[in-house]
Amino acid sequence: GGIIEQKFPDKLPGTKLFFCGLVARLAWSLFVDGREAVLFAWEGFAMALIIIGLWTTKNDNLKNTFCWKPLAYIGQISYGFYVFHCSSFEIVPWCAKAIPYLNSPVIALPFCFLVSVAAATLSWYFLESPVNRLKYKFNYPK
C-alpha cells in the first residue's frame, strides 16, 4: 500500500471519508457566502476528504460510480473545466441577445455546463494533452 493506506489503516475507511467530505462540502455550499478566506480552508479540507476517501475506499459501488465513462471524462478535463467555467457565465448574457430562451435559469445553467465542457474539451485536446506528452521527452530524477 501507499502512504495514504499506511496512515489510515481501516480506522477511517475510504467510504466514510468520502461521505464525510461530501457532507462538509455541501455544508460549505449551503451555509457559507464564500467571502471569508478561512472558509476556503474548510472547502479544501472537505475536498481532501472526498479525494482521500475515493482513493482508499473498498466500496466497489462507489468506485464504479466514479469510473462511469461520463464522470471519468469530466475528471479528465476537470482542470480545463475549472479554468473555463466562470467564462461560460459571461457568455450566457451575450448569447441571450440572440437566443431569448437563455434568459431562463433552467436553460442557462445547462447551457453554461455545455459551454464549459466544450471549452475544457478543446483545452484538453489542443493544449493540455500535447503538453502532457512532452514529459516523456525529458529525464528527471525519480
Side-chain angles (χ1 to χ4, degrees), residues 31-44:
F31 302 112
V32 174
D33 65 10
R35 292 191 186 113
E36 293 117 32
V38 72
L39 297 173
F40 286 110
W42 177 265
E43 181 183 23

PDB file of all heavy atoms in Angstrom, residues 31-44:
ATOM      1  N   PHE A  31     -24.283  26.983   3.530  1.00  0.00           N
ATOM      2  CA  PHE A  31     -24.314  27.902   4.653  1.00  0.00           C
ATOM      3  C   PHE A  31     -23.269  28.999   4.617  1.00  0.00           C
ATOM      4  O   PHE A  31     -23.201  29.812   5.521  1.00  0.00           O
ATOM      5  CB  PHE A  31     -24.175  27.124   5.963  1.00  0.00           C
ATOM      6  CG  PHE A  31     -25.248  26.094   6.143  1.00  0.00           C
ATOM      7  CD1 PHE A  31     -24.936  24.752   6.113  1.00  0.00           C
ATOM      8  CD2 PHE A  31     -26.572  26.461   6.305  1.00  0.00           C
ATOM      9  CE1 PHE A  31     -25.924  23.794   6.260  1.00  0.00           C
ATOM     10  CE2 PHE A  31     -27.570  25.514   6.448  1.00  0.00           C
ATOM     11  CZ  PHE A  31     -27.242  24.173   6.424  1.00  0.00           C
ATOM     12  N   VAL A  32     -22.467  29.053   3.588  1.00  0.00           N
ATOM     13  CA  VAL A  32     -21.361  30.000   3.566  1.00  0.00           C
ATOM     14  C   VAL A  32     -21.515  30.920   2.366  1.00  0.00           C
ATOM     15  O   VAL A  32     -21.817  30.489   1.271  1.00  0.00           O
ATOM     16  CB  VAL A  32     -20.020  29.239   3.481  1.00  0.00           C
ATOM     17  CG1 VAL A  32     -18.866  30.184   3.307  1.00  0.00           C
ATOM     18  CG2 VAL A  32     -19.831  28.405   4.720  1.00  0.00           C
ATOM     19  N   ASP A  33     -21.295  32.188   2.596  1.00  0.00           N
ATOM     20  CA  ASP A  33     -21.360  33.122   1.469  1.00  0.00           C
ATOM     21  C   ASP A  33     -20.057  33.145   0.690  1.00  0.00           C
ATOM     22  O   ASP A  33     -19.975  33.735  -0.371  1.00  0.00           O
ATOM     23  CB  ASP A  33     -21.760  34.520   1.923  1.00  0.00           C
ATOM     24  CG  ASP A  33     -20.737  35.173   2.832  1.00  0.00           C
ATOM     25  OD1 ASP A  33     -19.628  34.652   2.985  1.00  0.00           O
ATOM     26  OD2 ASP A  33     -21.052  36.234   3.390  1.00  0.00           O
ATOM     27  N   GLY A  34     -19.014  32.511   1.185  1.00  0.00           N
ATOM     28  CA  GLY A  34     -17.777  32.350   0.442  1.00  0.00           C
ATOM     29  C   GLY A  34     -16.843  33.540   0.464  1.00  0.00           C
ATOM     30  O   GLY A  34     -15.886  33.569  -0.283  1.00  0.00           O
ATOM     31  N   ARG A  35     -17.094  34.513   1.319  1.00  0.00           N
ATOM     32  CA  ARG A  35     -16.250  35.703   1.311  1.00  0.00           C
ATOM     33  C   ARG A  35     -15.100  35.649   2.302  1.00  0.00           C
ATOM     34  O   ARG A  35     -14.117  36.334   2.143  1.00  0.00           O
ATOM     35  CB  ARG A  35     -17.105  36.936   1.578  1.00  0.00           C
ATOM     36  CG  ARG A  35     -18.032  37.214   0.430  1.00  0.00           C
ATOM     37  CD  ARG A  35     -18.687  38.574   0.559  1.00  0.00           C
ATOM     38  NE  ARG A  35     -19.656  38.701  -0.500  1.00  0.00           N
ATOM     39  CZ  ARG A  35     -20.960  38.752  -0.319  1.00  0.00           C
ATOM     40  NH1 ARG A  35     -21.464  38.713   0.885  1.00  0.00           N
ATOM     41  NH2 ARG A  35     -21.774  38.860  -1.334  1.00  0.00           N
ATOM     42  N   GLU A  36     -15.220  34.841   3.333  1.00  0.00           N
ATOM     43  CA  GLU A  36     -14.168  34.791   4.338  1.00  0.00           C
ATOM     44  C   GLU A  36     -13.103  33.772   3.932  1.00  0.00           C
ATOM     45  O   GLU A  36     -13.413  32.634   3.629  1.00  0.00           O
ATOM     46  CB  GLU A  36     -14.741  34.429   5.707  1.00  0.00           C
ATOM     47  CG  GLU A  36     -15.637  35.521   6.261  1.00  0.00           C
ATOM     48  CD  GLU A  36     -17.062  35.041   6.443  1.00  0.00           C
ATOM     49  OE1 GLU A  36     -17.247  33.870   6.726  1.00  0.00           O
ATOM     50  OE2 GLU A  36     -17.969  35.859   6.266  1.00  0.00           O
ATOM     51  N   ALA A  37     -11.855  34.191   3.950  1.00  0.00           N
ATOM     52  CA  ALA A  37     -10.756  33.349   3.482  1.00  0.00           C
ATOM     53  C   ALA A  37     -10.635  32.057   4.282  1.00  0.00           C
ATOM     54  O   ALA A  37     -10.332  31.016   3.726  1.00  0.00           O
ATOM     55  CB  ALA A  37      -9.446  34.123   3.529  1.00  0.00           C
ATOM     56  N   VAL A  38     -10.901  32.110   5.576  1.00  0.00           N
ATOM     57  CA  VAL A  38     -10.757  30.907   6.401  1.00  0.00           C
ATOM     58  C   VAL A  38     -11.718  29.817   5.945  1.00  0.00           C
ATOM     59  O   VAL A  38     -11.441  28.625   6.086  1.00  0.00           O
ATOM     60  CB  VAL A  38     -10.934  31.234   7.898  1.00  0.00           C
ATOM     61  CG1 VAL A  38     -12.381  31.551   8.226  1.00  0.00           C
ATOM     62  CG2 VAL A  38     -10.427  30.091   8.752  1.00  0.00           C
ATOM     63  N   LEU A  39     -12.831  30.210   5.377  1.00  0.00           N
ATOM     64  CA  LEU A  39     -13.797  29.217   4.930  1.00  0.00           C
ATOM     65  C   LEU A  39     -13.330  28.476   3.684  1.00  0.00           C
ATOM     66  O   LEU A  39     -13.779  27.370   3.424  1.00  0.00           O
ATOM     67  CB  LEU A  39     -15.153  29.874   4.716  1.00  0.00           C
ATOM     68  CG  LEU A  39     -15.743  30.448   6.008  1.00  0.00           C
ATOM     69  CD1 LEU A  39     -16.999  31.234   5.714  1.00  0.00           C
ATOM     70  CD2 LEU A  39     -16.014  29.358   7.017  1.00  0.00           C
ATOM     71  N   PHE A  40     -12.414  29.062   2.944  1.00  0.00           N
ATOM     72  CA  PHE A  40     -11.855  28.338   1.805  1.00  0.00           C
ATOM     73  C   PHE A  40     -11.014  27.165   2.288  1.00  0.00           C
ATOM     74  O   PHE A  40     -10.911  26.141   1.617  1.00  0.00           O
ATOM     75  CB  PHE A  40     -11.047  29.258   0.897  1.00  0.00           C
ATOM     76  CG  PHE A  40     -11.922  30.157   0.088  1.00  0.00           C
ATOM     77  CD1 PHE A  40     -11.972  31.515   0.351  1.00  0.00           C
ATOM     78  CD2 PHE A  40     -12.725  29.650  -0.919  1.00  0.00           C
ATOM     79  CE1 PHE A  40     -12.801  32.347  -0.380  1.00  0.00           C
ATOM     80  CE2 PHE A  40     -13.557  30.473  -1.655  1.00  0.00           C
ATOM     81  CZ  PHE A  40     -13.599  31.821  -1.379  1.00  0.00           C
ATOM     82  N   ALA A  41     -10.418  27.297   3.465  1.00  0.00           N
ATOM     83  CA  ALA A  41      -9.689  26.175   4.053  1.00  0.00           C
ATOM     84  C   ALA A  41     -10.657  25.036   4.349  1.00  0.00           C
ATOM     85  O   ALA A  41     -10.321  23.864   4.174  1.00  0.00           O
ATOM     86  CB  ALA A  41      -8.964  26.618   5.315  1.00  0.00           C
ATOM     87  N   TRP A  42     -11.859  25.366   4.797  1.00  0.00           N
ATOM     88  CA  TRP A  42     -12.882  24.353   5.053  1.00  0.00           C
ATOM     89  C   TRP A  42     -13.213  23.615   3.764  1.00  0.00           C
ATOM     90  O   TRP A  42     -13.308  22.392   3.753  1.00  0.00           O
ATOM     91  CB  TRP A  42     -14.135  25.015   5.628  1.00  0.00           C
ATOM     92  CG  TRP A  42     -15.265  24.052   5.845  1.00  0.00           C
ATOM     93  CD1 TRP A  42     -16.289  23.790   5.010  1.00  0.00           C
ATOM     94  CD2 TRP A  42     -15.452  23.212   6.980  1.00  0.00           C
ATOM     95  NE1 TRP A  42     -17.115  22.844   5.535  1.00  0.00           N
ATOM     96  CE2 TRP A  42     -16.618  22.468   6.755  1.00  0.00           C
ATOM     97  CE3 TRP A  42     -14.748  23.007   8.160  1.00  0.00           C
ATOM     98  CZ2 TRP A  42     -17.107  21.532   7.667  1.00  0.00           C
ATOM     99  CZ3 TRP A  42     -15.241  22.086   9.068  1.00  0.00           C
ATOM    100  CH2 TRP A  42     -16.400  21.365   8.821  1.00  0.00           C
ATOM    101  N   GLU A  43     -13.384  24.349   2.690  1.00  0.00           N
ATOM    102  CA  GLU A  43     -13.695  23.710   1.411  1.00  0.00           C
ATOM    103  C   GLU A  43     -12.547  22.806   0.977  1.00  0.00           C
ATOM    104  O   GLU A  43     -12.766  21.695   0.503  1.00  0.00           O
ATOM    105  CB  GLU A  43     -13.965  24.757   0.328  1.00  0.00           C
ATOM    106  CG  GLU A  43     -14.308  24.112  -1.002  1.00  0.00           C
ATOM    107  CD  GLU A  43     -14.507  25.109  -2.124  1.00  0.00           C
ATOM    108  OE1 GLU A  43     -13.984  26.229  -2.037  1.00  0.00           O
ATOM    109  OE2 GLU A  43     -15.186  24.743  -3.084  1.00  0.00           O
ATOM    110  N   GLY A  44     -11.324  23.276   1.143  1.00  0.00           N
ATOM    111  CA  GLY A  44     -10.162  22.454   0.790  1.00  0.00           C
ATOM    112  C   GLY A  44     -10.095  21.184   1.614  1.00  0.00           C
ATOM    113  O   GLY A  44      -9.800  20.105   1.095  1.00  0.00           O
TER     114      GLY A  44
END
